[in-house]
Amino acid sequence: MTTTEQLGIADARTYLLNRARAQDVQLEVYAERATATSVKGFGGEVSEFKLTARQGLGLRALVGGAWGSAFTENLSRPALDRALDTAVENATLVAPEAGSALSDWPAPPALDLHGEGLSGVSVEQKVRAALTLEAAARAADPRVTSVPYSSYSDMDSETLVGNTHGLERGQKALHAFTYVAPLVSEDGQNKMKGEWQFTREFTELDPTRTALDAVHRSTALLGAKPAPSGPVPVVITGEALAELLALFAPMFSGKMVEEGKSPLAGRVGEVIASPMVTLLDDPTLPRGLNSRSFDAEGHPSMPLTLIDAGTLHAFMHNAQTAARAGTVSTGHATRFSYQSTVGVGPSNLLMRAGETPADQLAGSVTGVRLTGIAGGHAGADPITGDFSLQAEGFWIEDGQTTHPLEVFTVAGNILELLRDVQAVGSEIEWTMYAAGAPAVRVKALAVGGS
């Protein structure tokens, strides 16, 4: 056995924790391993094919109440020793932080996020999925002029967390994902709308159906007319509402609250939304895009109700923000990767469905059906709740959809929008951002037409 031998992530975790205990150092190890495939199709051919693999460990050493971080992708024993030394040294260079501690929490829930979904799936099958998306979209309608986006991707990953207090966690997950966005043209108008499918079982993928849905969504936007300007009643589809909720999820972060960056600070127990609004974050959904049995600190996952029938119920916390707030972790510690620091964030954000059937939601409304938003990186402010976003949608006349609208803007405040909810649909729509919501009818939003 040589000193340069590369350990697996589980053995590397064990090695580091044993070394830390021998040195009387409090240590947390976060490890990831992942292999991924990405295939893009264009013009009936593969335009891009990628096979990637990565693994690494992130370390957090707790010395005198201060965290020191380090990471390594070299899993040889000498490299692991250097990473541990670096983490300990870094802890001596920063100030102690209140609430810093390691814990050995109870066992997490048993979630099967892996199964046999990609077992035996060949590269040829994956390529065929990407090319079928494009071919089916092109053949679906003569108004399809090209298919700029047609892709298949998958990932098989493993995440491990452990610390010197005895915590030891492991989880495997995999998924397959398809996306297609056809460009359609008619009478000088060009429109494009994408569609996607996420699954943990390759055999459940239906590229042809996904492509047909994307074409239908795109052609429905043709024949658009200018939108009016001013406050109008709005029916927001579940997809558009979920996109909005994802933009404002940070206001429910305990970290944002303690930093004075949430308009909800100090308001737990207050009514902040319509009684028809119940919002939760649920990392335990079997088919959730961001499901997990434990968070980045190893805390067991569990559903967390954020808004309960209009009343602010809770904030998301990791162990440290919870300790400083005088509460307990909600299992919402996050890491973007083993290279990043620990933060707070949602998993699968979900607004509960209501009882209004889709065909009755618009009622006798004359106004806008909002089907999509864009520009959230610049047009949405989680600190205030205000937004001004590019939007797409349709005009409704007496409850009936009459025609699509040219690109317009919608502006308002997310908390005012949630207070103004008048009806909630009975079906949930999910976005690629792991947020789901039913369609809702709201009293009014400010619309800016062309």
Side-chain angles (χ1 to χ4, degrees), residues 104-188:
D104 181 14
W105 288 289
L111 298 180
D112 183 5
L113 304 177
H114 194 271
E116 301 296 330
L118 296 178
S119 178
V121 179
S122 67
V123 170
E124 290 75 13
Q125 288 175 285
K126 299 176 183 183
V127 168
R128 191 180 309 124
L131 297 182
T132 298
L133 285 167
E134 187 196 26
R138 284 183 175 276
D141 194 292
R143 292 170 291 181
V144 176
T145 57
S146 69
V147 185
Y149 303 99
S150 173
S151 64
Y152 165 90
S153 62
D154 62 44
M155 180 177 290
D156 189 334
S157 65
E158 181 178 13
T159 302
L160 306 177
V161 181
N163 66 37
T164 49
H165 280 229
L167 181 139
E168 188 172 304
R169 300 277 190 266
Q171 174 181 277
K172 292 183 178 181
L174 62 76
H175 71 263
F177 186 92
T178 54
Y179 178 79
V180 61
L183 178 66
V184 299
S185 302
E186 185 177 56
D187 297 333

